[in-house]
mmCIF file of all heavy atoms in Angstrom:
data_model
loop_
_atom_site.group_PDB
_atom_site.id
_atom_site.type_symbol
_atom_site.label_atom_id
_atom_site.label_comp_id
_atom_site.label_asym_id
_atom_site.label_seq_id
_atom_site.Cartn_x
_atom_site.Cartn_y
_atom_site.Cartn_z
ATOM 1 N N MET K 1 -40.600 3.909 14.129
ATOM 2 C CA MET K 1 -39.328 3.132 14.324
ATOM 3 C C MET K 1 -38.139 3.839 13.691
ATOM 4 O O MET K 1 -38.260 4.314 12.549
ATOM 5 C CB MET K 1 -39.452 1.721 13.777
ATOM 6 C CG MET K 1 -38.378 0.748 14.154
ATOM 7 S SD MET K 1 -38.294 0.439 15.939
ATOM 8 C CE MET K 1 -39.843 -0.369 16.229
ATOM 9 N N LYS K 22 -0.231 -19.002 14.935
ATOM 10 C CA LYS K 22 0.061 -19.289 13.528
ATOM 11 C C LYS K 22 -0.610 -20.567 13.112
ATOM 12 O O LYS K 22 -1.051 -21.334 13.928
ATOM 13 C CB LYS K 22 1.624 -19.476 13.389
ATOM 14 C CG LYS K 22 2.409 -18.248 13.795
ATOM 15 C CD LYS K 22 3.878 -18.484 13.801
ATOM 16 C CE LYS K 22 4.620 -17.274 14.256
ATOM 17 N NZ LYS K 22 6.120 -17.504 14.429
ATOM 18 N N GLY K 51 -29.692 5.633 21.711
ATOM 19 C CA GLY K 51 -30.996 6.309 21.824
ATOM 20 C C GLY K 51 -32.006 6.099 20.761
ATOM 21 O O GLY K 51 -33.062 6.720 20.778
ATOM 22 N N THR K 54 -35.225 0.837 18.075
ATOM 23 C CA THR K 54 -34.723 -0.208 17.180
ATOM 24 C C THR K 54 -35.596 -1.422 17.203
ATOM 25 O O THR K 54 -36.231 -1.758 18.165
ATOM 26 C CB THR K 54 -33.247 -0.539 17.544
ATOM 27 O OG1 THR K 54 -33.306 -1.074 18.818
ATOM 28 C CG2 THR K 54 -32.333 0.618 17.504
ATOM 29 N N VAL K 57 -34.814 -8.094 12.924
ATOM 30 C CA VAL K 57 -35.432 -9.193 12.139
ATOM 31 C C VAL K 57 -34.332 -10.214 12.071
ATOM 32 O O VAL K 57 -33.289 -10.050 11.402
ATOM 33 C CB VAL K 57 -35.903 -8.711 10.738
ATOM 34 C CG1 VAL K 57 -36.481 -9.894 10.018
ATOM 35 C CG2 VAL K 57 -36.873 -7.571 10.836
ATOM 36 N N GLY K 92 -26.325 -19.302 15.986
ATOM 37 C CA GLY K 92 -25.005 -19.095 15.382
ATOM 38 C C GLY K 92 -23.940 -18.809 16.481
ATOM 39 O O GLY K 92 -24.219 -18.206 17.531
ATOM 40 N N LEU K 149 -33.414 -5.100 1.572
ATOM 41 C CA LEU K 149 -32.995 -3.871 0.927
ATOM 42 C C LEU K 149 -34.055 -3.388 -0.080
ATOM 43 O O LEU K 149 -34.436 -2.206 -0.096
ATOM 44 C CB LEU K 149 -31.670 -3.998 0.265
ATOM 45 C CG LEU K 149 -30.455 -4.220 1.191
ATOM 46 C CD1 LEU K 149 -29.222 -4.557 0.404
ATOM 47 C CD2 LEU K 149 -30.180 -2.931 2.030
ATOM 48 N N ASN K 162 -23.728 -3.229 4.818
ATOM 49 C CA ASN K 162 -22.357 -3.590 5.224
ATOM 50 C C ASN K 162 -22.109 -4.992 4.670
ATOM 51 O O ASN K 162 -22.466 -5.969 5.287
ATOM 52 C CB ASN K 162 -22.325 -3.548 6.762
ATOM 53 C CG ASN K 162 -21.049 -4.112 7.347
ATOM 54 O OD1 ASN K 162 -21.074 -4.764 8.355
ATOM 55 N ND2 ASN K 162 -19.910 -3.797 6.707
ATOM 56 N N ALA K 164 -20.438 -7.668 4.706
ATOM 57 C CA ALA K 164 -19.489 -8.401 5.497
ATOM 58 C C ALA K 164 -20.173 -9.680 6.074
ATOM 59 O O ALA K 164 -21.278 -9.547 6.542
ATOM 60 C CB ALA K 164 -18.959 -7.535 6.596
ATOM 61 N N SER K 173 -27.312 -5.873 -7.974
ATOM 62 C CA SER K 173 -28.476 -5.130 -7.378
ATOM 63 C C SER K 173 -28.223 -4.723 -5.946
ATOM 64 O O SER K 173 -28.862 -3.803 -5.434
ATOM 65 C CB SER K 173 -29.766 -6.018 -7.458
ATOM 66 O OG SER K 173 -29.568 -7.252 -6.823
ATOM 67 N N GLU K 189 -11.231 -4.384 -0.681
ATOM 68 C CA GLU K 189 -10.356 -5.051 -1.618
ATOM 69 C C GLU K 189 -11.081 -6.303 -2.199
ATOM 70 O O GLU K 189 -10.963 -6.598 -3.404
ATOM 71 C CB GLU K 189 -9.071 -5.447 -0.977
ATOM 72 C CG GLU K 189 -8.060 -6.129 -1.906
ATOM 73 C CD GLU K 189 -6.728 -6.414 -1.296
ATOM 74 O OE1 GLU K 189 -6.457 -5.945 -0.168
ATOM 75 O OE2 GLU K 189 -5.931 -7.105 -1.942
ATOM 76 N N CYS K 208 -14.949 3.111 -7.940
ATOM 77 C CA CYS K 208 -15.432 1.847 -8.474
ATOM 78 C C CYS K 208 -16.793 1.454 -7.874
ATOM 79 O O CYS K 208 -17.732 1.038 -8.580
ATOM 80 C CB CYS K 208 -14.402 0.746 -8.255
ATOM 81 S SG CYS K 208 -14.887 -0.883 -8.747
ATOM 82 N N GLY K 222 -9.655 1.653 10.387
ATOM 83 C CA GLY K 222 -9.155 1.387 11.719
ATOM 84 C C GLY K 222 -8.517 2.661 12.265
ATOM 85 O O GLY K 222 -9.184 3.730 12.339
ATOM 86 N N HIS K 231 -22.231 10.133 -4.500
ATOM 87 C CA HIS K 231 -22.542 10.252 -5.944
ATOM 88 C C HIS K 231 -22.440 11.710 -6.392
ATOM 89 O O HIS K 231 -21.950 11.998 -7.491
ATOM 90 C CB HIS K 231 -23.968 9.687 -6.239
ATOM 91 C CG HIS K 231 -24.256 9.517 -7.649
ATOM 92 N ND1 HIS K 231 -23.638 8.600 -8.496
ATOM 93 C CD2 HIS K 231 -25.148 10.189 -8.453
ATOM 94 C CE1 HIS K 231 -24.103 8.746 -9.714
ATOM 95 N NE2 HIS K 231 -25.060 9.673 -9.698
ATOM 96 N N GLU K 232 -22.926 12.617 -5.534
ATOM 97 C CA GLU K 232 -22.920 14.063 -5.888
ATOM 98 C C GLU K 232 -21.545 14.660 -5.757
ATOM 99 O O GLU K 232 -21.204 15.583 -6.459
ATOM 100 C CB GLU K 232 -23.908 14.863 -4.944
ATOM 101 C CG GLU K 232 -25.371 14.513 -5.203
ATOM 102 C CD GLU K 232 -25.782 13.187 -4.583
ATOM 103 O OE1 GLU K 232 -25.076 12.676 -3.691
ATOM 104 O OE2 GLU K 232 -26.819 12.639 -5.021
ATOM 105 N N ARG K 237 -13.071 12.319 0.895
ATOM 106 C CA ARG K 237 -12.718 13.132 2.062
ATOM 107 C C ARG K 237 -12.257 12.187 3.186
ATOM 108 O O ARG K 237 -12.879 11.166 3.401
ATOM 109 C CB ARG K 237 -13.883 13.999 2.491
ATOM 110 C CG ARG K 237 -14.073 15.259 1.669
ATOM 111 C CD ARG K 237 -15.482 15.822 1.840
ATOM 112 N NE ARG K 237 -16.437 15.104 1.048
ATOM 113 C CZ ARG K 237 -17.773 15.396 1.076
ATOM 114 N NH1 ARG K 237 -18.169 16.382 1.814
ATOM 115 N NH2 ARG K 237 -18.598 14.699 0.365
ATOM 116 N N GLN K 293 -20.369 -6.635 22.536
ATOM 117 C CA GLN K 293 -21.459 -5.729 23.018
ATOM 118 C C GLN K 293 -21.120 -5.126 24.391
ATOM 119 O O GLN K 293 -21.625 -4.078 24.746
ATOM 120 C CB GLN K 293 -22.758 -6.490 23.037
ATOM 121 C CG GLN K 293 -23.271 -6.770 21.648
ATOM 122 C CD GLN K 293 -24.596 -7.478 21.561
ATOM 123 O OE1 GLN K 293 -25.376 -7.493 22.548
ATOM 124 N NE2 GLN K 293 -24.880 -8.114 20.437
ATOM 125 N N LEU K 306 -21.523 14.733 21.403
ATOM 126 C CA LEU K 306 -21.790 13.812 20.357
ATOM 127 C C LEU K 306 -23.261 13.789 19.975
ATOM 128 O O LEU K 306 -23.660 13.223 19.009
ATOM 129 C CB LEU K 306 -21.306 12.342 20.726
ATOM 130 C CG LEU K 306 -19.794 12.113 20.751
ATOM 131 C CD1 LEU K 306 -19.510 10.715 21.264
ATOM 132 C CD2 LEU K 306 -19.158 12.375 19.408
#
Side-chain angles (χ1 to χ4, degrees):
M1 192 63 66
K22 297 172 184 174
T54 62
V57 180
L149 291 170
N162 171 219
S173 58
E189 182 174 352
C208 175
H231 188 69
E232 292 77 21
R237 280 164 281 178
Q293 290 181 21
L306 290 175

